[in-house]
Amino acid sequence: MAAPSTKAVLLSLVDDVEIITKELFESIASSKQQKATGLGGTEDYHQLTELLVQKDQELKDALNLAGEQAVIQKKIDSLKAESFKRDQDIRKLQQQLKEAEHVLSTAIYQAKQKLISIQKATKNQVPSEELIKYAHRISASNAVAAPLTWQPGDPRRPYPQDIEMRLGFLGRQSDLPINGQMLQAQSQASQGSSLSWQPPPEIAPMVSQVAINQSAMSVDSKGHNKENEGDEVEVMSTDSSSSSSSESG
Amino acid sequence: MGECVDVNFLSLIYEIIRSIEKDSHDVAQKLAELSRLFELCRHQIAKLPGIELSKAEQQQQIDVLRKQVVLKNELLQKYKTLCHFEAMHGNEQHH
């Protein structure tokens, strides 16, 4: 069982002193009456007095103990204040650590992304020579820019034609009809126009063959999503490049 | 702190006994004064700091607090030697 607190001890001692004092006064009053009647009663009086002195001494001792405890309490208070200060420092450091963790995790994520890109690039290496060759192929046919001397009626193509636009990604997005008949009709219509491009006789069969292939592809992949955009662009480029290569050849 | 509490009952009790023996008229007044002194003493005791616990419990508490402070100091020291936050702050400012 835990020892009673000093406060409880002190209050109980004060209560004891008060009770003994009352008893003492009653004893004195009764002994005074007994004296008047000739009876003795001084024994209780002495016992109570001794008890009172004893309790008074205990009270003083308890007050001394309270004084010592007050000093200890001061130390406890200062230790609590120090502990609180340390807690604040620890919280501050933890916050800084969390910030550092966030910065590091972001850096790690970005580094991982870069590593993935590097791995992808290493896996699908494209030699520079091939790139240059490809650039030559697509520029030789004036598919990317009109020749400086181009004029209306020039069979070299300075811009994509209607058929090519329909075959492209934008044409598919707007769901324009692309089939063999339409292509034929378009080609017939284009023949009527003096400004439109007419494929040279040596590449005409190739263009029509490519156009048919394109229409077959477009039927297969109707409602294409964005993921296939790269493929379509590639197909278009291949188309132009193949025709241009044949032109250049 | 213990000196702040007035526990000088014995002198007043002695005066009251003398008054009773002499059949003095101021007995009632002195009894009231004694009663007031007891109440004052109780109030003063209630205000004393650090007496809610016994001395042994207080010692125990102070030991626990000292250990906590030592542990927290060690933890802080560990954190400070682990990381260089100044460098991190420098980078953040740079960003």
PDB file of all heavy atoms in Angstrom, chain A residues 5 7 15 18 21 25 28 32 56 63 68-69 73 79 83 86-87 93 100, chain B residues 10 13 16-17 20 23 31 42 50-53 55 58 72-73 76 85 88:
ATOM      1  N   SER A   5       0.060  10.828   1.339  1.00  0.00           N
ATOM      2  CA  SER A   5       0.776  12.033   0.917  1.00  0.00           C
ATOM      3  C   SER A   5       1.050  12.936   2.127  1.00  0.00           C
ATOM      4  O   SER A   5       0.351  12.867   3.143  1.00  0.00           O
ATOM      5  CB  SER A   5      -0.054  12.795  -0.116  1.00  0.00           C
ATOM      6  OG  SER A   5      -1.190  13.347   0.504  1.00  0.00           O
ATOM      7  N   LYS A   7       0.552  16.003   2.416  1.00  0.00           N
ATOM      8  CA  LYS A   7      -0.575  16.905   2.646  1.00  0.00           C
ATOM      9  C   LYS A   7      -1.608  16.242   3.569  1.00  0.00           C
ATOM     10  O   LYS A   7      -2.093  16.867   4.537  1.00  0.00           O
ATOM     11  CB  LYS A   7      -1.217  17.247   1.301  1.00  0.00           C
ATOM     12  CG  LYS A   7      -2.271  18.315   1.365  1.00  0.00           C
ATOM     13  CD  LYS A   7      -2.791  18.578  -0.034  1.00  0.00           C
ATOM     14  CE  LYS A   7      -3.787  19.702  -0.027  1.00  0.00           C
ATOM     15  NZ  LYS A   7      -4.270  19.991  -1.364  1.00  0.00           N
ATOM     16  N   ASP A  15      -5.906  18.269  12.455  1.00  0.00           N
ATOM     17  CA  ASP A  15      -7.175  17.781  13.021  1.00  0.00           C
ATOM     18  C   ASP A  15      -6.945  17.192  14.421  1.00  0.00           C
ATOM     19  O   ASP A  15      -7.704  17.466  15.366  1.00  0.00           O
ATOM     20  CB  ASP A  15      -7.795  16.714  12.113  1.00  0.00           C
ATOM     21  CG  ASP A  15      -8.328  17.309  10.821  1.00  0.00           C
ATOM     22  OD1 ASP A  15      -8.493  18.551  10.767  1.00  0.00           O
ATOM     23  OD2 ASP A  15      -8.552  16.543   9.860  1.00  0.00           O
ATOM     24  N   GLU A  18      -6.371  19.874  16.967  1.00  0.00           N
ATOM     25  CA  GLU A  18      -7.626  20.557  17.278  1.00  0.00           C
ATOM     26  C   GLU A  18      -8.475  19.721  18.240  1.00  0.00           C
ATOM     27  O   GLU A  18      -9.011  20.230  19.232  1.00  0.00           O
ATOM     28  CB  GLU A  18      -8.404  20.833  15.986  1.00  0.00           C
ATOM     29  CG  GLU A  18      -9.513  21.845  16.176  1.00  0.00           C
ATOM     30  CD  GLU A  18     -10.196  22.233  14.873  1.00  0.00           C
ATOM     31  OE1 GLU A  18      -9.908  21.591  13.832  1.00  0.00           O
ATOM     32  OE2 GLU A  18     -11.015  23.159  14.903  1.00  0.00           O
ATOM     33  N   THR A  21      -6.908  19.578  21.666  1.00  0.00           N
ATOM     34  CA  THR A  21      -7.096  20.865  22.341  1.00  0.00           C
ATOM     35  C   THR A  21      -8.498  20.964  22.949  1.00  0.00           C
ATOM     36  O   THR A  21      -8.659  21.380  24.116  1.00  0.00           O
ATOM     37  CB  THR A  21      -6.883  22.021  21.347  1.00  0.00           C
ATOM     38  OG1 THR A  21      -5.667  21.806  20.653  1.00  0.00           O
ATOM     39  CG2 THR A  21      -6.822  23.357  22.035  1.00  0.00           C
ATOM     40  N   PHE A  25      -9.398  21.337  26.861  1.00  0.00           N
ATOM     41  CA  PHE A  25     -10.208  22.403  27.453  1.00  0.00           C
ATOM     42  C   PHE A  25     -11.363  21.817  28.270  1.00  0.00           C
ATOM     43  O   PHE A  25     -11.660  22.283  29.373  1.00  0.00           O
ATOM     44  CB  PHE A  25     -10.753  23.339  26.369  1.00  0.00           C
ATOM     45  CG  PHE A  25      -9.696  24.161  25.688  1.00  0.00           C
ATOM     46  CD1 PHE A  25      -9.892  24.666  24.407  1.00  0.00           C
ATOM     47  CD2 PHE A  25      -8.485  24.446  26.342  1.00  0.00           C
ATOM     48  CE1 PHE A  25      -8.930  25.423  23.798  1.00  0.00           C
ATOM     49  CE2 PHE A  25      -7.524  25.206  25.710  1.00  0.00           C
ATOM     50  CZ  PHE A  25      -7.723  25.683  24.430  1.00  0.00           C
ATOM     51  N   ILE A  28      -9.942  20.465  31.440  1.00  0.00           N
ATOM     52  CA  ILE A  28      -9.610  21.540  32.400  1.00  0.00           C
ATOM     53  C   ILE A  28     -10.881  22.062  33.064  1.00  0.00           C
ATOM     54  O   ILE A  28     -10.943  22.249  34.292  1.00  0.00           O
ATOM     55  CB  ILE A  28      -8.837  22.676  31.695  1.00  0.00           C
ATOM     56  CG1 ILE A  28      -7.434  22.193  31.317  1.00  0.00           C
ATOM     57  CG2 ILE A  28      -8.735  23.912  32.566  1.00  0.00           C
ATOM     58  CD1 ILE A  28      -6.719  23.091  30.330  1.00  0.00           C
ATOM     59  N   LYS A  32     -11.770  21.695  36.918  1.00  0.00           N
ATOM     60  CA  LYS A  32     -12.056  22.882  37.729  1.00  0.00           C
ATOM     61  C   LYS A  32     -13.310  22.664  38.581  1.00  0.00           C
ATOM     62  O   LYS A  32     -13.353  23.007  39.772  1.00  0.00           O
ATOM     63  CB  LYS A  32     -12.250  24.095  36.810  1.00  0.00           C
ATOM     64  CG  LYS A  32     -11.961  25.404  37.490  1.00  0.00           C
ATOM     65  CD  LYS A  32     -12.131  26.549  36.515  1.00  0.00           C
ATOM     66  CE  LYS A  32     -12.024  27.865  37.256  1.00  0.00           C
ATOM     67  NZ  LYS A  32     -12.336  28.971  36.381  1.00  0.00           N
ATOM     68  N   ASP A  56       2.255  18.297  18.268  1.00  0.00           N
ATOM     69  CA  ASP A  56       2.829  19.561  17.799  1.00  0.00           C
ATOM     70  C   ASP A  56       4.214  19.319  17.198  1.00  0.00           C
ATOM     71  O   ASP A  56       4.555  19.883  16.145  1.00  0.00           O
ATOM     72  CB  ASP A  56       2.911  20.536  18.977  1.00  0.00           C
ATOM     73  CG  ASP A  56       3.357  21.918  18.530  1.00  0.00           C
ATOM     74  OD1 ASP A  56       2.566  22.557  17.792  1.00  0.00           O
ATOM     75  OD2 ASP A  56       4.473  22.336  18.865  1.00  0.00           O
ATOM     76  N   LEU A  63       6.109  19.526   8.654  1.00  0.00           N
ATOM     77  CA  LEU A  63       6.308  20.780   7.915  1.00  0.00           C
ATOM     78  C   LEU A  63       7.736  20.887   7.374  1.00  0.00           C
ATOM     79  O   LEU A  63       7.960  21.397   6.277  1.00  0.00           O
ATOM     80  CB  LEU A  63       5.992  21.977   8.813  1.00  0.00           C
ATOM     81  CG  LEU A  63       4.515  22.305   8.951  1.00  0.00           C
ATOM     82  CD1 LEU A  63       4.295  23.360  10.013  1.00  0.00           C
ATOM     83  CD2 LEU A  63       3.920  22.785   7.633  1.00  0.00           C
ATOM     84  N   GLU A  68      11.331  20.175   2.513  1.00  0.00           N
ATOM     85  CA  GLU A  68      12.254  19.392   1.662  1.00  0.00           C
ATOM     86  C   GLU A  68      11.566  19.005   0.346  1.00  0.00           C
ATOM     87  O   GLU A  68      12.170  19.056  -0.731  1.00  0.00           O
ATOM     88  CB  GLU A  68      12.668  18.107   2.399  1.00  0.00           C
ATOM     89  CG  GLU A  68      13.644  18.342   3.531  1.00  0.00           C
ATOM     90  CD  GLU A  68      13.874  17.094   4.361  1.00  0.00           C
ATOM     91  OE1 GLU A  68      13.657  15.982   3.831  1.00  0.00           O
ATOM     92  OE2 GLU A  68      14.246  17.221   5.548  1.00  0.00           O
ATOM     93  N   GLN A  69      10.300  18.621   0.485  1.00  0.00           N
ATOM     94  CA  GLN A  69       9.571  18.213  -0.719  1.00  0.00           C
ATOM     95  C   GLN A  69       9.366  19.380  -1.684  1.00  0.00           C
ATOM     96  O   GLN A  69       9.309  19.183  -2.893  1.00  0.00           O
ATOM     97  CB  GLN A  69       8.218  17.594  -0.332  1.00  0.00           C
ATOM     98  CG  GLN A  69       8.383  16.181   0.177  1.00  0.00           C
ATOM     99  CD  GLN A  69       7.052  15.477   0.360  1.00  0.00           C
ATOM    100  OE1 GLN A  69       6.692  15.139   1.466  1.00  0.00           O
ATOM    101  NE2 GLN A  69       6.343  15.271  -0.701  1.00  0.00           N
ATOM    102  N   GLN A  73      10.307  19.419  -5.453  1.00  0.00           N
ATOM    103  CA  GLN A  73       9.310  19.805  -6.455  1.00  0.00           C
ATOM    104  C   GLN A  73       9.885  20.804  -7.457  1.00  0.00           C
ATOM    105  O   GLN A  73       9.588  20.739  -8.651  1.00  0.00           O
ATOM    106  CB  GLN A  73       8.081  20.401  -5.752  1.00  0.00           C
ATOM    107  CG  GLN A  73       6.900  20.663  -6.660  1.00  0.00           C
ATOM    108  CD  GLN A  73       6.360  19.390  -7.299  1.00  0.00           C
ATOM    109  OE1 GLN A  73       6.341  18.340  -6.668  1.00  0.00           O
ATOM    110  NE2 GLN A  73       5.944  19.488  -8.551  1.00  0.00           N
ATOM    111  N   LEU A  79      12.993  19.788 -14.307  1.00  0.00           N
ATOM    112  CA  LEU A  79      13.184  18.614 -15.176  1.00  0.00           C
ATOM    113  C   LEU A  79      12.044  18.479 -16.182  1.00  0.00           C
ATOM    114  O   LEU A  79      12.261  18.116 -17.344  1.00  0.00           O
ATOM    115  CB  LEU A  79      13.255  17.340 -14.325  1.00  0.00           C
ATOM    116  CG  LEU A  79      14.617  17.023 -13.709  1.00  0.00           C
ATOM    117  CD1 LEU A  79      14.498  15.892 -12.709  1.00  0.00           C
ATOM    118  CD2 LEU A  79      15.622  16.648 -14.788  1.00  0.00           C
ATOM    119  N   SER A  83      12.396  18.488 -20.110  1.00  0.00           N
ATOM    120  CA  SER A  83      11.831  17.386 -20.890  1.00  0.00           C
ATOM    121  C   SER A  83      10.915  17.918 -21.993  1.00  0.00           C
ATOM    122  O   SER A  83      10.941  17.439 -23.137  1.00  0.00           O
ATOM    123  CB  SER A  83      11.063  16.466 -19.952  1.00  0.00           C
ATOM    124  OG  SER A  83      10.505  15.398 -20.642  1.00  0.00           O
ATOM    125  N   ARG A  86      13.013  19.324 -24.750  1.00  0.00           N
ATOM    126  CA  ARG A  86      13.582  18.234 -25.567  1.00  0.00           C
ATOM    127  C   ARG A  86      12.528  17.659 -26.510  1.00  0.00           C
ATOM    128  O   ARG A  86      12.820  17.330 -27.651  1.00  0.00           O
ATOM    129  CB  ARG A  86      14.128  17.122 -24.671  1.00  0.00           C
ATOM    130  CG  ARG A  86      15.301  17.530 -23.808  1.00  0.00           C
ATOM    131  CD  ARG A  86      16.570  17.704 -24.628  1.00  0.00           C
ATOM    132  NE  ARG A  86      17.661  18.200 -23.835  1.00  0.00           N
ATOM    133  CZ  ARG A  86      17.882  19.487 -23.529  1.00  0.00           C
ATOM    134  NH1 ARG A  86      17.051  20.409 -23.959  1.00  0.00           N
ATOM    135  NH2 ARG A  86      18.918  19.863 -22.818  1.00  0.00           N
ATOM    136  N   ASP A  87      11.312  17.542 -25.976  1.00  0.00           N
ATOM    137  CA  ASP A  87      10.206  17.033 -26.818  1.00  0.00           C
ATOM    138  C   ASP A  87      10.012  17.911 -28.042  1.00  0.00           C
ATOM    139  O   ASP A  87       9.832  17.419 -29.162  1.00  0.00           O
ATOM    140  CB  ASP A  87       8.892  17.000 -26.016  1.00  0.00           C
ATOM    141  CG  ASP A  87       8.791  15.761 -25.161  1.00  0.00           C
ATOM    142  OD1 ASP A  87       9.533  14.807 -25.429  1.00  0.00           O
ATOM    143  OD2 ASP A  87       7.974  15.749 -24.224  1.00  0.00           O
ATOM    144  N   LEU A  93      12.972  18.026 -35.158  1.00  0.00           N
ATOM    145  CA  LEU A  93      13.876  17.173 -35.935  1.00  0.00           C
ATOM    146  C   LEU A  93      13.109  16.133 -36.754  1.00  0.00           C
ATOM    147  O   LEU A  93      13.456  15.842 -37.891  1.00  0.00           O
ATOM    148  CB  LEU A  93      14.857  16.476 -34.997  1.00  0.00           C
ATOM    149  CG  LEU A  93      16.085  17.287 -34.633  1.00  0.00           C
ATOM    150  CD1 LEU A  93      16.845  16.622 -33.519  1.00  0.00           C
ATOM    151  CD2 LEU A  93      16.996  17.456 -35.831  1.00  0.00           C
ATOM    152  N   ALA A 100      13.002  15.756 -45.371  1.00  0.00           N
ATOM    153  CA  ALA A 100      14.131  15.153 -46.084  1.00  0.00           C
ATOM    154  C   ALA A 100      13.686  13.870 -46.792  1.00  0.00           C
ATOM    155  O   ALA A 100      14.075  13.614 -47.939  1.00  0.00           O
ATOM    156  CB  ALA A 100      15.253  14.850 -45.113  1.00  0.00           C
TER     157      ALA A 100
ATOM    158  N   LEU B  10       0.527  26.154  20.460  1.00  0.00           N
ATOM    159  CA  LEU B  10       0.754  25.877  21.886  1.00  0.00           C
ATOM    160  C   LEU B  10       0.687  27.147  22.748  1.00  0.00           C
ATOM    161  O   LEU B  10       0.101  27.133  23.842  1.00  0.00           O
ATOM    162  CB  LEU B  10       2.092  25.180  22.091  1.00  0.00           C
ATOM    163  CG  LEU B  10       2.159  23.727  21.603  1.00  0.00           C
ATOM    164  CD1 LEU B  10       3.495  23.085  21.976  1.00  0.00           C
ATOM    165  CD2 LEU B  10       1.025  22.880  22.167  1.00  0.00           C
ATOM    166  N   ILE B  13      -2.896  28.106  23.106  1.00  0.00           N
ATOM    167  CA  ILE B  13      -3.585  27.127  23.971  1.00  0.00           C
ATOM    168  C   ILE B  13      -3.224  27.407  25.449  1.00  0.00           C
ATOM    169  O   ILE B  13      -4.094  27.381  26.330  1.00  0.00           O
ATOM    170  CB  ILE B  13      -3.201  25.691  23.563  1.00  0.00           C
ATOM    171  CG1 ILE B  13      -3.812  25.354  22.190  1.00  0.00           C
ATOM    172  CG2 ILE B  13      -3.682  24.669  24.604  1.00  0.00           C
ATOM    173  CD1 ILE B  13      -3.233  24.095  21.556  1.00  0.00           C
ATOM    174  N   ILE B  16      -5.135  30.347  26.657  1.00  0.00           N
ATOM    175  CA  ILE B  16      -6.547  30.003  26.874  1.00  0.00           C
ATOM    176  C   ILE B  16      -6.695  29.241  28.212  1.00  0.00           C
ATOM    177  O   ILE B  16      -7.603  29.529  29.017  1.00  0.00           O
ATOM    178  CB  ILE B  16      -7.103  29.181  25.700  1.00  0.00           C
ATOM    179  CG1 ILE B  16      -7.188  30.062  24.439  1.00  0.00           C
ATOM    180  CG2 ILE B  16      -8.503  28.639  26.004  1.00  0.00           C
ATOM    181  CD1 ILE B  16      -7.429  29.292  23.158  1.00  0.00           C
ATOM    182  N   ILE B  17      -5.764  28.313  28.471  1.00  0.00           N
ATOM    183  CA  ILE B  17      -5.817  27.551  29.742  1.00  0.00           C
ATOM    184  C   ILE B  17      -5.702  28.499  30.935  1.00  0.00           C
ATOM    185  O   ILE B  17      -6.452  28.401  31.916  1.00  0.00           O
ATOM    186  CB  ILE B  17      -4.703  26.470  29.771  1.00  0.00           C
ATOM    187  CG1 ILE B  17      -4.991  25.391  28.710  1.00  0.00           C
ATOM    188  CG2 ILE B  17      -4.596  25.816  31.150  1.00  0.00           C
ATOM    189  CD1 ILE B  17      -3.830  24.440  28.477  1.00  0.00           C
ATOM    190  N   ILE B  20      -8.889  30.311  31.314  1.00  0.00           N
ATOM    191  CA  ILE B  20      -9.935  29.461  31.909  1.00  0.00           C
ATOM    192  C   ILE B  20      -9.723  29.365  33.422  1.00  0.00           C
ATOM    193  O   ILE B  20     -10.665  29.473  34.217  1.00  0.00           O
ATOM    194  CB  ILE B  20      -9.946  28.054  31.270  1.00  0.00           C
ATOM    195  CG1 ILE B  20     -10.404  28.140  29.795  1.00  0.00           C
ATOM    196  CG2 ILE B  20     -10.866  27.092  32.020  1.00  0.00           C
ATOM    197  CD1 ILE B  20     -10.180  26.860  29.014  1.00  0.00           C
ATOM    198  N   ASP B  23     -10.686  32.412  35.081  1.00  0.00           N
ATOM    199  CA  ASP B  23     -12.073  32.806  34.763  1.00  0.00           C
ATOM    200  C   ASP B  23     -12.120  34.164  34.069  1.00  0.00           C
ATOM    201  O   ASP B  23     -12.962  35.021  34.376  1.00  0.00           O
ATOM    202  CB  ASP B  23     -12.933  32.840  36.037  1.00  0.00           C
ATOM    203  CG  ASP B  23     -13.355  31.440  36.429  1.00  0.00           C
ATOM    204  OD1 ASP B  23     -13.475  30.597  35.492  1.00  0.00           O
ATOM    205  OD2 ASP B  23     -13.537  31.175  37.627  1.00  0.00           O
ATOM    206  N   LEU B  31     -10.694  31.552  22.086  1.00  0.00           N
ATOM    207  CA  LEU B  31     -11.101  30.279  21.467  1.00  0.00           C
ATOM    208  C   LEU B  31     -11.408  30.487  19.979  1.00  0.00           C
ATOM    209  O   LEU B  31     -11.037  29.661  19.135  1.00  0.00           O
ATOM    210  CB  LEU B  31     -12.334  29.714  22.169  1.00  0.00           C
ATOM    211  CG  LEU B  31     -12.064  28.922  23.460  1.00  0.00           C
ATOM    212  CD1 LEU B  31     -13.375  28.588  24.170  1.00  0.00           C
ATOM    213  CD2 LEU B  31     -11.300  27.641  23.169  1.00  0.00           C
ATOM    214  N   ARG B  42      -4.841  25.236   7.850  1.00  0.00           N
ATOM    215  CA  ARG B  42      -5.315  24.295   6.802  1.00  0.00           C
ATOM    216  C   ARG B  42      -5.193  24.926   5.404  1.00  0.00           C
ATOM    217  O   ARG B  42      -4.779  24.268   4.447  1.00  0.00           O
ATOM    218  CB  ARG B  42      -6.769  23.902   7.069  1.00  0.00           C
ATOM    219  CG  ARG B  42      -6.916  22.929   8.226  1.00  0.00           C
ATOM    220  CD  ARG B  42      -8.316  22.341   8.302  1.00  0.00           C
ATOM    221  NE  ARG B  42      -8.444  21.464   9.446  1.00  0.00           N
ATOM    222  CZ  ARG B  42      -8.961  21.799  10.629  1.00  0.00           C
ATOM    223  NH1 ARG B  42      -9.418  23.029  10.839  1.00  0.00           N
ATOM    224  NH2 ARG B  42      -9.033  20.927  11.608  1.00  0.00           N
ATOM    225  N   GLY B  50       4.276  20.618  -3.843  1.00  0.00           N
ATOM    226  CA  GLY B  50       5.002  19.344  -3.773  1.00  0.00           C
ATOM    227  C   GLY B  50       4.619  18.411  -2.659  1.00  0.00           C
ATOM    228  O   GLY B  50       5.383  17.495  -2.336  1.00  0.00           O
ATOM    229  N   ILE B  51       3.461  18.642  -2.037  1.00  0.00           N
ATOM    230  CA  ILE B  51       3.097  17.731  -0.940  1.00  0.00           C
ATOM    231  C   ILE B  51       1.921  16.826  -1.326  1.00  0.00           C
ATOM    232  O   ILE B  51       1.337  16.165  -0.488  1.00  0.00           O
ATOM    233  CB  ILE B  51       2.761  18.499   0.374  1.00  0.00           C
ATOM    234  CG1 ILE B  51       1.648  19.528   0.130  1.00  0.00           C
ATOM    235  CG2 ILE B  51       3.995  19.160   0.944  1.00  0.00           C
ATOM    236  CD1 ILE B  51       1.051  20.064   1.420  1.00  0.00           C
ATOM    237  N   GLU B  52       1.598  16.825  -2.629  1.00  0.00           N
ATOM    238  CA  GLU B  52       0.528  15.930  -3.093  1.00  0.00           C
ATOM    239  C   GLU B  52       0.982  14.476  -3.069  1.00  0.00           C
ATOM    240  O   GLU B  52       0.158  13.568  -3.053  1.00  0.00           O
ATOM    241  CB  GLU B  52       0.108  16.309  -4.526  1.00  0.00           C
ATOM    242  CG  GLU B  52      -0.427  17.719  -4.679  1.00  0.00           C
ATOM    243  CD  GLU B  52      -1.751  17.939  -3.971  1.00  0.00           C
ATOM    244  OE1 GLU B  52      -2.475  16.952  -3.740  1.00  0.00           O
ATOM    245  OE2 GLU B  52      -2.062  19.112  -3.643  1.00  0.00           O
ATOM    246  N   LEU B  53       2.306  14.292  -3.101  1.00  0.00           N
ATOM    247  CA  LEU B  53       2.869  12.937  -3.066  1.00  0.00           C
ATOM    248  C   LEU B  53       3.711  12.794  -1.806  1.00  0.00           C
ATOM    249  O   LEU B  53       4.092  13.782  -1.184  1.00  0.00           O
ATOM    250  CB  LEU B  53       3.767  12.714  -4.286  1.00  0.00           C
ATOM    251  CG  LEU B  53       3.143  12.837  -5.670  1.00  0.00           C
ATOM    252  CD1 LEU B  53       4.234  12.789  -6.731  1.00  0.00           C
ATOM    253  CD2 LEU B  53       2.144  11.727  -5.915  1.00  0.00           C
ATOM    254  N   LYS B  55       7.323  11.644   0.002  1.00  0.00           N
ATOM    255  CA  LYS B  55       8.692  11.941  -0.428  1.00  0.00           C
ATOM    256  C   LYS B  55       9.250  10.808  -1.303  1.00  0.00           C
ATOM    257  O   LYS B  55       9.944  11.059  -2.295  1.00  0.00           O
ATOM    258  CB  LYS B  55       9.578  12.139   0.800  1.00  0.00           C
ATOM    259  CG  LYS B  55      10.879  12.823   0.460  1.00  0.00           C
ATOM    260  CD  LYS B  55      11.728  13.037   1.673  1.00  0.00           C
ATOM    261  CE  LYS B  55      13.065  13.643   1.283  1.00  0.00           C
ATOM    262  NZ  LYS B  55      13.953  13.803   2.433  1.00  0.00           N
ATOM    263  N   GLN B  58       7.870  11.095  -4.715  1.00  0.00           N
ATOM    264  CA  GLN B  58       8.508  12.238  -5.386  1.00  0.00           C
ATOM    265  C   GLN B  58       9.894  11.854  -5.911  1.00  0.00           C
ATOM    266  O   GLN B  58      10.251  12.212  -7.033  1.00  0.00           O
ATOM    267  CB  GLN B  58       8.656  13.376  -4.387  1.00  0.00           C
ATOM    268  CG  GLN B  58       7.809  14.579  -4.722  1.00  0.00           C
ATOM    269  CD  GLN B  58       8.101  15.751  -3.800  1.00  0.00           C
ATOM    270  OE1 GLN B  58       8.628  15.584  -2.698  1.00  0.00           O
ATOM    271  NE2 GLN B  58       7.733  16.923  -4.237  1.00  0.00           N
ATOM    272  N   LYS B  72      16.079  11.404 -23.976  1.00  0.00           N
ATOM    273  CA  LYS B  72      15.755  12.383 -25.021  1.00  0.00           C
ATOM    274  C   LYS B  72      17.021  13.073 -25.522  1.00  0.00           C
ATOM    275  O   LYS B  72      17.156  13.336 -26.718  1.00  0.00           O
ATOM    276  CB  LYS B  72      14.755  13.413 -24.487  1.00  0.00           C
ATOM    277  CG  LYS B  72      13.346  12.852 -24.425  1.00  0.00           C
ATOM    278  CD  LYS B  72      12.391  13.757 -23.713  1.00  0.00           C
ATOM    279  CE  LYS B  72      11.055  13.064 -23.546  1.00  0.00           C
ATOM    280  NZ  LYS B  72      10.089  13.859 -22.795  1.00  0.00           N
ATOM    281  N   ASN B  73      17.943  13.352 -24.606  1.00  0.00           N
ATOM    282  CA  ASN B  73      19.221  13.950 -25.016  1.00  0.00           C
ATOM    283  C   ASN B  73      19.970  13.002 -25.947  1.00  0.00           C
ATOM    284  O   ASN B  73      20.524  13.425 -26.960  1.00  0.00           O
ATOM    285  CB  ASN B  73      20.084  14.251 -23.796  1.00  0.00           C
ATOM    286  CG  ASN B  73      19.693  15.566 -23.136  1.00  0.00           C
ATOM    287  OD1 ASN B  73      19.130  16.446 -23.783  1.00  0.00           O
ATOM    288  ND2 ASN B  73      19.973  15.700 -21.863  1.00  0.00           N
ATOM    289  N   LEU B  76      18.320  12.991 -29.352  1.00  0.00           N
ATOM    290  CA  LEU B  76      18.649  14.211 -30.102  1.00  0.00           C
ATOM    291  C   LEU B  76      20.069  14.140 -30.654  1.00  0.00           C
ATOM    292  O   LEU B  76      20.318  14.493 -31.811  1.00  0.00           O
ATOM    293  CB  LEU B  76      18.514  15.426 -29.196  1.00  0.00           C
ATOM    294  CG  LEU B  76      17.105  16.001 -29.050  1.00  0.00           C
ATOM    295  CD1 LEU B  76      17.058  17.020 -27.946  1.00  0.00           C
ATOM    296  CD2 LEU B  76      16.671  16.651 -30.352  1.00  0.00           C
ATOM    297  N   PHE B  85      21.219  18.492 -41.623  1.00  0.00           N
ATOM    298  CA  PHE B  85      20.039  19.169 -42.149  1.00  0.00           C
ATOM    299  C   PHE B  85      20.385  20.499 -42.822  1.00  0.00           C
ATOM    300  O   PHE B  85      19.651  20.969 -43.660  1.00  0.00           O
ATOM    301  CB  PHE B  85      19.036  19.419 -41.028  1.00  0.00           C
ATOM    302  CG  PHE B  85      18.493  18.144 -40.471  1.00  0.00           C
ATOM    303  CD1 PHE B  85      18.870  17.710 -39.222  1.00  0.00           C
ATOM    304  CD2 PHE B  85      17.625  17.370 -41.218  1.00  0.00           C
ATOM    305  CE1 PHE B  85      18.387  16.523 -38.726  1.00  0.00           C
ATOM    306  CE2 PHE B  85      17.137  16.182 -40.733  1.00  0.00           C
ATOM    307  CZ  PHE B  85      17.525  15.764 -39.481  1.00  0.00           C
ATOM    308  N   MET B  88      20.604  19.988 -46.413  1.00  0.00           N
ATOM    309  CA  MET B  88      19.283  19.814 -47.012  1.00  0.00           C
ATOM    310  C   MET B  88      18.595  21.163 -47.207  1.00  0.00           C
ATOM    311  O   MET B  88      18.039  21.443 -48.261  1.00  0.00           O
ATOM    312  CB  MET B  88      18.435  18.934 -46.122  1.00  0.00           C
ATOM    313  CG  MET B  88      17.169  18.457 -46.780  1.00  0.00           C
ATOM    314  SD  MET B  88      16.089  17.732 -45.591  1.00  0.00           S
ATOM    315  CE  MET B  88      15.374  19.159 -44.858  1.00  0.00           C
TER     316      MET B  88
END
